[in-house]
Amino acid sequence: MIDVAFPLVRPLLHGLDAERAHDLTLRALALLPSGRRREDDPRLAVDLLGRRFPNPVGLAAGFDKGARVPDALLGLGFGFAEVGGVVPRPQPGNPQPRVFRLAADRAVINRYGLNSEGLDIVAARLRARTGRPGIVGVNIGANKDSVDRLADYAACTAVLAPLADFVTVNVSSPNTPGLRDLQGEAFLDELLARTVAAREAAGASAAILLKIAPDMALDALDAVCATALRRGVQALVVSNTTVARPAGLVEQALARETGGLSGRPLFGPATRMLAQTRLRVGDSLPLVGVGGVDSAEAAWTKILAGASLVQLYSALVYEGPGLVGRIKAGLVRRMDEEGITALRQVVGRDAADLARGA
């Protein structure tokens, strides 16, 4: 029903401030009756991170920052949902307005600044859904005014790893000053060591993922990949939003707003970074492809570039929740055309070409 209603509701939502529309969407999802989700085509299943994902299409972090509606989101057909980002202490983020729709570009710019209700509230919500089906991960960060950001990540991991299927270490948000500095080799090595230690001390089985930026130089990517492998990270998420403004954006006035750009214009640079990452890690480290996924073709290209799983968020603003089912159906059609029975058979097949931007 929500799929059918979206074309009617979208003009109303887009007539509101983007953040207000987002909050109303979360409130509406919270009112949805719980029900049994439709079974996916078994060929879409992905065995990864010690879990069986019913399909490879996930919701990216940022949509449900407070873990308010993860089960409703899974009910829309996502194979997994990532909530957060979460920081230890509540923080309001940056002043409003801080989210902007670039409708002609099918893009969004945000400078939320990791607004969060804080670790305690998110943990309580995740604890309340213990035992429910569905794969839910959580994205973690550091408080803006923290004097020890590494300790913030460790604290979040210690509490949330026992409550989630995976924990994504976010060092790539462009909206927290200095956060991307943690992608430097020395900082990252210590950060991942402390995060993994915190998970082990908690006795949790959650996988540790690392989310990186699309804007880093390739020598920096070399160091990130080597550090992730050495420290036992179980997957890389490629990528976060970009601070760049690709040529050809139509909404030039809005493009001048500061913040991270997501949506269709991010697809090219994020997919090139994904493919470059695949060339460096091969089969030794699974990848999650994020950035500009707004169709089955885009999702398929991410898989060819090296992604075992994909995530989306901004496309929902323009396409609505029915997009999830369309992507899954399109992936099945491509599998039929290729004559394959599992997506892993084509993961990374075109990484060399896509790394060059082909």
Side-chain angles (χ1 to χ4, degrees), residues 51 157-164 195-208:
R51 275 86 175 161
T157 302
V159 173
L160 296 173
L163 304 173
T195 301
V196 171
R199 178 197 59 187
E200 292 174 352
S205 63
I208 300 296

Side-chain angles (χ1 to χ4, degrees), residues 51-339:
R51 275 86 175 161
R52 186 170 182 83
F53 292 75
N55 72 72
V57 185
L59 180 70
F63 185 91
D64 186 8
K65 290 176 176 287
R68 292 161 60 182
V69 291
D71 294 294
L73 294 165
L74 292 171
L76 297 178
F78 285 106
F80 62 105
E82 183 175 335
V83 302
V86 183
V87 295
R89 290 175 285 105
Q91 65 181 20
N94 292 323
Q96 297 179 359
R98 52 192 180 179
V99 193
F100 308 90
R101 305 183 196 92
L102 284 68
D105 300 295
R106 287 296 194 264
V108 174
I109 290 173
N110 91 81
R111 52 171 180 261
Y112 274 114
L114 275 177
N115 56 310
S116 173
E117 294 174 275
L119 177 58
D120 290 344
I121 287 177
V122 174
R125 289 175 180 152
L126 290 175
R127 196 173 291 114
R129 72 171 301 276
T130 299
R132 295 180 190 171
I135 296 174
V136 175
V138 58
N139 182 292
I140 61 171
N143 280 107
K144 183 177 181 179
D145 61 354
S146 175
V147 297
D148 186 349
R149 287 181 168 174
L150 302 185
D152 282 8
Y153 285 93
C156 286
T157 302
V159 173
L160 296 173
L163 304 173
D165 291 284
F166 62 88
V167 174
T168 300
V169 178
N170 179 8
V171 292
S172 51
S173 169
N175 299 314
T176 298
L179 190 68
R180 286 191 172 190
D181 294 342
L182 296 179
Q183 292 179 123
E185 189 170 5
F187 286 110
L188 186 61
D189 186 69
E190 178 66 15
L191 170 62
L192 295 178
R194 292 177 67 172
T195 301
V196 171
R199 178 197 59 187
E200 292 174 352
S205 63
I208 300 296
L209 281 59
L210 175 66
K211 189 167 188 174
I212 64 175
D215 309 309
M216 70 173 68
L218 294 183
D219 58 346
L221 179 63
D222 292 337
V224 165
C225 291
T227 304
L229 287 165
R230 183 171 64 251
R231 286 300 181 186
V233 167
Q234 286 150 292
L236 291 175
V237 183
V238 190
S239 67
N240 214 314
T241 59
T242 180
V243 294
R245 297 295 182 263
L249 291 175
V250 176
E251 304 269 11
Q252 283 295 319
L254 289 172
R256 288 192 287 271
E257 294 286 350
T258 59
L261 175 73
S262 60
R264 188 173 292 172
L266 179 58
F267 179 78
T271 304
R272 285 193 293 275
M273 183 61 71
L274 173 67
Q276 288 284 357
T277 305
R278 171 70 179 193
L279 295 181
R280 285 157 173 76
V281 303
D283 294 326
S284 58
L285 192 59
L287 305 178
V288 182
V290 197
V293 176
D294 61 3
S295 65
E297 187 65 26
W300 181 255
T301 302
K302 294 283 190 187
I303 293 167
L304 297 180
S308 295
L309 302 169
V310 300
Q311 288 180 310
L312 58 89
Y313 170 6
S314 296
L316 294 176
V317 173
Y318 302 105
E319 302 294 334
L323 175 63
V324 182
R326 294 193 294 275
I327 290 176
K328 293 189 293 185
L331 290 177
V332 170
R333 286 194 297 272
R334 290 304 299 261
M335 294 174 74
D336 287 340
E337 293 167 4
E338 296 272 345

